[in-house]
Amino acid sequence: MEIEEVHKNTKLMYQGKPWNVDNAEFVKPGKGRAIYRLRLKNLLDASTLDVTFHSGEKVDEASVSNQEMQYLYKEGDHYVLMNTNNYEQTFVNEEQMGDKINFLKEGVLVNAQLLDERPIDIAIPVFVELAVVETGTAIKTATVTAQTKSAKLETGHSIDVPAFIKEGDVLKIDTRTGAYVERITAKK
Amino acid sequence: MPSERERLTQIKGNLQRRSQLIAIVRHFFEQRGFLEVETPIRVPSIAPELNITAQQSDDWYLITSPELHMKRLLAAGYGPIFQVSRCFRKGEQGRLHNPEFNLLEWYRPDSDYTEVIHDVEQLIAEIATAFQSSPFLTYQGTTVDISPPWPRLSIREAFRALAGWDPTESYNAERFDNDMALKVLPALDTRRPLVLNEYPAPAASLARLKYGEPALAERAEVYIGGMELANAYSELTDVSEQRQRFKKEIAQIELEQGKKLPLAESFLEALNYLPECSGIALGLDRLVMLFCNATHIEEIWAFSEENI
């Protein structure tokens, strides 16, 4: 592909390795040649590399495909996924999983990006519903701002929630920010 | 992603400031006896420039700058003129670029480029006064002291100090562009505006060469807050020299890009009557960015290509 077509999050093959374009900066003196400064992140080991290209140059796009997968369980420092088409199992490592594990229950469907059949990244839903397994009571103080407290979710991750949330409540959570959105069901 | 309504509401303050700024610009030039003009946006020929690609419209082009027609007005004996003109440059998109943008361009007969540089110093001081920030401007965390006169630095000095070579002695376009973008500009002190001047003759474009020093072109660029803001020339009035430069550039474009651009004959014809003059093109959208402390051009431009 032409360097002009490269954007943030384009996947490239460069020096024989697959990279994600984390940042693409277009630098052009009015009368001069355009320069493209890319911050690349290695899709396999998350190392980064800064590279410079000029207009007219070509780069190799990494052939990345998408596949629905089911997250099964954690095994050592790997997360086991199952391809819902052919039931084959594969895994991603901790770096590729990142913070997403905080919002991922066993058995949930995710969208995996594959490079040569190998998952390099997974996308989880923007909103997930998770139950509260543990929460204390908010300390009441004389204040006009909303009271919040910490609540532990069934994934083991803790977030701030309003004071009225109880153990067993199911919450809607925005996985982009990790923030509480609303209560879906209260404990019966 | 915010909704369109949220997005446009967020930048409304910037767009109001933009409108005020353009009113100040018009007032500035009217007070100094400049005539505001309008010239065509869709034209049969443009000034050929290797690194600026015009957007085609049928067999014609959308202008990359209003320079050629403004010079035809000057050649017809018009006095000082200015214009706010929509321009188009294909593929230029980034933090400081939008393929469709506005140039503020003005010309002064019987002057050289030091005078239009003086104008831009006064213009920006006047805008800062109107916005009650004078003599300071805070852009991207840096406080810029904009009191005129601004420091001048020649390309020779800048490159010797920051890139380790002198492009006015032996010019190499590729090395020049690279080092300018990656070595010189990032190292400049942004606490003051800067006028980079005396470009190498091969990078003269439509500027005339310095009398007695033909290795240098009377061309200057203004930088504020690390942004390239304006490009000024003592205008080339020598028709045969201009024709030769255009032909050379057209040949180079054909060689590298396989496109044959037409020669702007009506412009070259008018150049016979062009008085000695200076001119400057200023990126109006970047000027708005400076006074809105905008990081990205989209913060001052309601409908970029992404949300058009």
Side-chain angles (χ1 to χ4, degrees):
Chain A
M1 70 195 296
E2 304 287 335
I3 185 67
E4 283 81 359
E5 300 167 67
V6 172
H7 297 288
K8 190 174 174 173
N9 292 327
T10 300
K11 309 277 188 288
L12 301 178
M13 291 303 292
Y14 180 70
Q15 296 180 339
K17 294 174 187 157
W19 306 85
N20 182 65
V21 177
D22 272 11
N23 194 37
E25 192 189 353
F26 176 75
V27 183
K28 187 180 182 304
K31 305 282 182 192
R33 283 208 305 169
I35 295 174
Y36 299 79
R37 304 176 78 177
L38 307 184
R39 161 68 53 95
L40 302 178
K41 189 165 94 184
N42 189 307
L43 288 166
L44 303 176
D45 63 14
S47 61
T48 58
L49 184 66
D50 291 322
V51 286
T52 301
F53 292 94
H54 294 96
S55 78
E57 292 182 340
K58 289 187 192 318
V59 290
D60 292 328
E61 192 171 4
S63 65
V64 172
S65 59
N66 288 295
Q67 173 62 46
E68 186 186 71
M69 296 220 170
Q70 188 176 29
Y71 167 56
L72 297 181
Y73 51 85
K74 184 175 182 189
E75 188 179 73
D77 56 0
H78 290 108
Y79 299 90
V80 180
L81 301 171
M82 184 183 71
N83 186 323
T84 56
N85 265 352
N86 57 18
Y87 307 107
E88 278 178 20
Q89 290 186 12
T90 181
F91 61 85
V92 294
N93 62 31
E94 277 175 335
E95 264 145 5
Q96 291 160 341
M97 177 63 83
D99 295 340
K100 285 169 277 206
I101 193 62
N102 293 336
F103 308 104
L104 206 51
K105 269 196 300 189
E106 290 182 0
V108 165
L109 295 177
V110 298
N111 190 16
Q113 285 198 319
L114 305 180
L115 176 76
D116 302 331
E117 310 293 309
R118 232 180 117 177
I120 48 172
D121 192 14
I122 64 163
I124 62 173
V126 174
F127 296 105
V128 292
E129 295 177 6
L130 293 170
V132 174
V133 295
E134 198 181 310
T135 184
T137 46
I139 303 152
K140 254 209 153 100
T141 50
T143 168
V144 290
T145 55
Q147 299 281 306
T148 61
K149 59 179 182 177
S150 178
K152 190 172 172 186
L153 305 171
E154 58 188 303
T155 57
H157 179 62
S158 293
I159 60 166
D160 284 342
V161 298
F164 61 81
I165 298 297
K166 294 184 180 61
E167 281 171 25
D169 288 354
V170 176
L171 311 182
K172 182 176 176 181
I173 292 151
D174 186 331
T175 61
R176 294 167 301 187
T177 59
Y180 164 87
V181 179
E182 61 181 340
R183 180 165 66 178
I184 301 291
T185 53
K187 190 186 180 190
K188 305 270 163 30
Chain B
M1 283 290 280
S3 70
E4 171 148 311
R5 190 189 175 88
E6 284 167 347
R7 185 177 66 76
L8 293 177
T9 304
Q10 263 175 15
I11 62 169
K12 191 172 178 190
N14 286 348
L15 298 193
Q16 284 166 333
R17 192 161 251 240
R18 172 187 195 105
S19 166
Q20 290 163 356
L21 186 144
I22 292 171
I24 298 164
V25 166
R26 289 212 155 92
H27 180 73
F28 177 91
F29 285 107
E30 278 157 16
Q31 271 200 322
R32 283 162 178 76
F34 281 74
L35 176 69
E36 180 167 10
V37 298
E38 290 192 26
T39 56
I41 282 178
R42 187 173 174 273
V43 296
S45 59
I46 52 169
E49 294 195 69
L50 184 61
N51 295 311
I52 298 178
T53 306
Q55 185 72 52
Q56 272 198 263
S57 170
D58 295 334
D59 293 340
W60 285 23
Y61 304 89
L62 302 183
I63 56 165
T64 55
S65 116
E67 182 160 1
L68 303 192
H69 282 95
M70 288 184 82
K71 284 184 176 168
R72 284 165 70 177
L73 290 171
L74 291 164
Y78 279 56
I81 52 175
F82 81 101
Q83 173 165 218
V84 173
S85 178
R86 193 56 71 88
C87 298
F88 301 80
R89 294 181 183 181
K90 200 173 168 183
E92 300 197 2
Q93 190 151 29
R95 186 173 85 79
L96 302 174
H97 293 84
N98 196 58
E100 180 176 346
F101 66 105
N102 292 289
L103 277 182
L104 166 62
E105 199 150 318
W106 70 95
Y107 291 86
R108 276 186 177 275
D110 308 316
S111 73
D112 69 11
Y113 74 138
T114 60
E115 291 192 46
V116 284
I117 290 293
H118 179 74
D119 287 336
V120 75
E121 288 177 319
Q122 302 303 315
L123 171 67
I124 285 170
E126 190 156 316
I127 297 169
T129 303
F131 287 144
Q132 294 171 343
S133 74
S134 188
F136 297 108
L137 179 68
T138 300
Y139 186 67
Q140 304 296 291
T142 301
T143 302
V144 188
D145 176 359
I146 54 158
S147 343
W150 300 338
R152 265 69 169 166
L153 183 66
S154 72
I155 287 288
R156 173 182 285 157
E157 291 171 293
F159 270 71
R160 276 185 180 164
L162 301 167
W165 64 294
D166 182 354
T168 66
E169 258 170 26
S170 57
Y171 186 71
N172 174 318
E174 200 166 305
R175 191 172 173 206
F176 181 76
D177 290 345
N178 263 345
D179 285 359
M180 178 67 110
L182 304 174
K183 289 182 184 167
V184 175
L185 297 181
L188 296 174
D189 183 356
T190 53
R191 289 170 300 180
R192 287 280 281 154
L194 178 69
V195 179
L196 270 178
N197 58 19
E198 301 197 327
Y199 275 65
S205 196
L206 284 77
R208 74 166 152 74
L209 304 182
K210 193 173 176 181
Y211 293 124
E213 266 191 274
L216 305 178
E218 291 203 357
R219 173 182 165 197
E221 292 218 345
V222 174
Y223 288 85
I224 304 183
M227 262 198 264
E228 178 187 342
L229 192 66
N231 180 52
Y233 298 144
S234 295
E235 302 295 348
L236 179 64
T237 54
D238 180 332
V239 185
S240 59
E241 164 76 13
Q242 183 70 77
R243 181 181 290 273
Q244 206 185 337
R245 285 193 203 173
F246 273 6
K247 280 186 165 170
K248 198 175 159 198
E249 198 77 1
I250 286 171
Q252 193 64 26
I253 291 168
E254 190 175 10
L255 183 72
E256 288 189 23
Q257 303 167 12
K259 288 180 301 194
K260 180 127 179 100
L261 292 181
L263 199 56
E265 287 293 355
S266 311
F267 163 72
L268 290 170
E269 171 63 27
L271 206 57
N272 283 304
Y273 308 97
L274 187 69
E276 288 295 313
C277 62
S278 60
I280 184 165
L282 180 150
L284 187 65
D285 308 297
R286 290 188 187 169
L287 185 61
V288 175
M289 286 178 73
L290 270 180
F291 280 97
C292 290
N293 192 15
T295 307
H296 198 288
I297 197 165
E298 285 182 1
E299 294 164 39
I300 54 101
W301 189 273
F303 301 100
S304 68
E305 276 193 5
E306 233 169 68
N307 37 46
I308 209 156

